[in-house]
Amino acid sequence: MNQAINPLLDRFTQLLGPTGVLTGNDVSARMIHVWRQEPIRAACILRPSTTEEVAAILRLCHEAGQTVVPHGGLTGLVQGCNGSEADVVLSLERMNRIEDLDAIGRTMTVQAGVPLEKLQQEAEKVGLMFPMDLGARGSCQIGGNVSTNAGGNRVIRFGMTRDNVLGLEAVLADGTVVTSLNTMIKNNAGYDLKHLFIGSEGTLGIVTRVVIRLREMAQGQQTAFVACDDFTQVAGFLRHIDRSMGGALCSFEVMWRDYYELVTSAPATNARPVPLEHEHYILCEALGTGHPQDAERFESVMMEALEQGLVADAAVAKSENERRAMWRIRDSVDQFFRYGPAFLYDVSLAIRDMDAYVKEVKRRLLEAYPAHHCFTLGHIGDGNIHFAIAVGSAAPEDHRRVNACVYEPLQPVGGSVSAEHGIGTEKIAYLPLSRSKTEIELMKRLKAALDPKHILNPGKVFPGP
Ligand code: ZN
């Protein structure tokens, strides 16, 4: 136990009661990530149940210069929740209430610890949907989605988390509560403060409540699995289907041959909707209207694509089971680890630069690691590529070498080292590849203004002072 923190622990216990403060084995029995068997390292885990309790905790920590690491559902991929025995972990897991659902205004006000899947289900009960969706929906919490500006599979139609948040409440490092629970779509009264907290990874404040924007629930969807022989076809097909579906296109997930082969060969059990004879495979989906002619319209758009040579092959899902099987192929990312540890990447760049960029990354990998495995897929409509790269080692020097293969070719094309996962601690060294000196200086000025003692999620996004 960290000696310096003992007096604070008593204050925390007075404030939250014994169930609100975990120490010792109760801390180390919890894992730092839903995928990893690695215990949380912290002096204690605090579990407040109200905004006032969060504010009181931060007032105490600010006064004492005590560092605080916020935890959501622990599904992030850039080590943004890491800490040490000197840190206090602040978990919002008990702040999991849905406070208001306005079906007419199509908004929902929720506490930050509500799991994404739960609020999706609540919206569906009244015929609405929260369109943001990602694989970790069952574990991740809306507060974490907001803090990391999470993306997912429907960004092409509905945008990132940022585009689906109308207001929020955040507690600043010194305990000041900023309640900005705007429910309106239009509100230009001064600075839009919510954007300070969306995507800043818990370094500028702790998000405690969120107002999300809901949409009318789609009436079914049309889904196809398509093959292309080259990237020119992929880019041409994207424009064709987006134009032809009149804005209803909600997913455009591209898988390179390496990924498609991986997830449709043993021990994976996915069947191939189209043969493994092409370079690129696309899972595309459009929102339905419930009209009987939806399916007919979608099939004719696919036929046109085949006739115009925009795709080499196509299979349209004829049932919900077939649709699910197609999505299972896209979501079989557990196969990434078939050949041992894999480094995961999340970059973005202009669609027109993508083909050359991916080829350059693979050329550099082959030179550095002749026996590597690289699997490639992405939300190409959003300019987002994911790589999983296995080189038979998880050693830091290999990680750095593979990072160089992936990140360096981004700089000449103005790409980003993080499309949707954030910077955390993992990408700190590469932030200057994607952001200018003046941009990073302004980020640091905001940090110094809002958290002058650097107690909030220290060492994340950029190194501490
Ligand atoms: Zn993704």
Side-chain angles (χ1 to χ4, degrees):
M1 173 64 61
N2 184 329
Q3 287 308 310
I5 204 158
N6 265 332
L8 270 180
L9 266 182
D10 292 338
R11 307 282 298 273
F12 293 146
T13 310
Q14 282 164 15
L15 192 67
L16 306 174
T19 55
V21 183
L22 306 181
T23 56
N25 291 341
D26 291 335
V27 171
S28 54
R30 290 177 164 224
M31 300 300 125
I32 188 69
H33 193 275
V34 290
W35 289 353
R36 285 210 310 273
Q37 287 302 308
E38 185 190 325
I40 290 178
R41 295 172 60 206
C44 60
I45 298 177
L46 304 181
R47 308 190 313 136
S49 53
T50 64
T51 298
E52 292 67 36
E53 287 179 354
V54 175
I57 290 166
L58 288 180
R59 269 195 300 276
L60 288 172
C61 292
H62 188 254
E63 210 171 280
Q66 170 61 50
T67 50
V68 178
V69 178
H71 277 192
L74 300 175
T75 63
L77 293 170
V78 291
Q79 276 82 56
C81 289
N82 284 11
S84 76
E85 280 75 11
D87 299 315
V88 163
V89 161
L90 184 57
S91 169
L92 299 196
E93 64 199 51
R94 289 165 83 197
M95 292 187 63
N96 58 2
R97 277 194 314 116
I98 289 172
E99 296 185 340
D100 185 46
L101 201 178
D102 173 2
I104 303 290
R106 293 181 288 199
T107 67
M108 200 193 289
T109 305
V110 301
Q111 293 184 328
V114 177
L116 174 61
E117 193 167 40
K118 184 177 167 195
L119 57 88
Q120 288 173 335
Q121 289 164 348
E122 288 302 311
E124 280 169 28
K125 286 181 190 166
V126 293
L128 295 170
M129 68 169 177
F130 183 54
M132 224 204 85
D133 192 31
L134 41 103
R137 65 185 74 78
S139 312
C140 65
Q141 298 170 4
I142 187 66
N145 298 145
V146 169
S147 298
T148 58
N149 188 29
N153 296 336
R154 285 169 164 180
V155 174
I156 189 171
R157 174 76 174 80
F158 297 104
M160 305 274 280
T161 302
R162 189 184 297 289
D163 303 296
N164 295 286
V165 170
L166 296 174
L168 54 73
E169 177 181 77
V171 183
L172 303 184
D174 64 3
T176 304
V177 178
V178 181
T179 302
S180 186
L181 295 170
N182 169 68
T183 57
M184 295 170 286
I185 290 170
K186 301 174 98 168
N187 185 349
N188 277 352
Y191 296 176
D192 198 342
L193 297 171
K194 64 176 179 277
H195 291 302
L196 285 172
F197 307 101
I198 303 175
S200 53
E201 304 184 40
T203 60
L204 300 182
I206 306 292
V207 175
T208 46
R209 291 198 281 169
V210 186
V211 183
I212 55 172
R213 180 179 178 187
L214 305 176
R215 317 290 174 122
E216 291 303 321
M217 195 159 67
Q219 304 300 309
Q221 51 284 104
Q222 307 297 324
T223 309
F225 204 94
V226 164
C228 291
D229 285 322
D230 58 39
F231 204 81
T232 308
Q233 275 190 331
V234 173
F237 176 61
L238 170 59
R239 288 205 55 196
H240 168 77
I241 187 169
D242 207 1
R243 187 192 316 123
S244 310
M245 296 310 296
L249 180 69
C250 65
S251 296
F252 194 85
E253 301 286 306
V254 178
M255 293 152 266
W256 271 249
R257 186 192 177 105
D258 50 34
Y259 177 80
Y260 187 55
E261 184 169 13
L262 174 78
V263 299
T264 57
S265 58
T269 54
N270 295 307
R272 290 178 185 148
V274 295
L276 178 68
E277 288 167 3
H278 309 279
E279 283 311 302
H280 300 92
Y281 300 84
I282 306 167
L283 174 55
C284 54
E285 190 161 277
L287 299 174
T289 62
H291 196 281
Q293 280 172 354
D294 275 2
E296 215 175 288
R297 168 89 194 118
F298 189 69
E299 280 191 34
S300 77
V301 169
M302 289 299 155
M303 280 307 293
E304 280 164 27
L306 276 163
E307 283 161 16
Q308 292 173 23
L310 292 169
V311 300
D313 204 348
V316 173
K318 298 286 190 203
S319 66
E320 180 59 18
N321 272 350
E322 284 185 18
R323 172 179 173 259
R324 289 216 178 124
M326 288 176 180
W327 272 104
R328 250 195 316 277
I329 292 172
R330 163 61 185 81
D331 290 337
S332 292
V333 292
D334 54 322
Q335 297 297 319
F336 282 160
F337 308 104
R338 189 185 297 174
Y339 300 99
F343 304 125
L344 304 178
Y345 294 91
D346 157 46
V347 302
S348 62
L349 66 160
I351 295 173
R352 64 180 175 195
D353 296 321
M354 246 174 218
D355 190 32
Y357 165 74
V358 171
K359 286 175 177 155
E360 175 62 13
V361 169
K362 293 185 174 180
R363 190 191 64 75
R364 288 178 184 227
L365 282 171
L366 196 61
E367 206 172 277
Y369 297 95
H372 75 278
H373 294 275
C374 174
F375 308 108
T376 317
L377 73 162
H379 321 283
I380 298 309
D382 320 328
N384 182 183
I385 297 180
H386 294 309
F387 295 105
I389 300 169
V391 298
S393 153
E397 65 266 28
D398 288 305
H399 201 173
R400 277 193 293 274
R401 227 169 133 202
V402 177
N403 285 347
C405 295
V406 174
Y407 293 143
E408 280 172 10
L410 282 174
Q411 199 168 22
V413 295
S416 173
V417 297
S418 178
E420 58 181 359
H421 296 167
I423 295 297
T425 53
E426 189 172 308
K427 298 185 185 178
I428 284 179
Y430 306 96
L431 184 62
L433 278 176
S434 299
R435 296 290 193 194
S436 68
K437 222 174 149 218
T438 45
E439 284 176 304
I440 294 173
E441 280 310 311
L442 180 55
M443 289 183 203
K444 288 182 174 170
R445 275 163 70 181
L446 287 169
K447 173 72 174 172
L450 289 174
D451 181 16
K453 293 186 172 179
H454 287 261
I455 63 166
L456 289 182
N457 216 6
K460 313 295 160 41
V461 185
F462 28 72

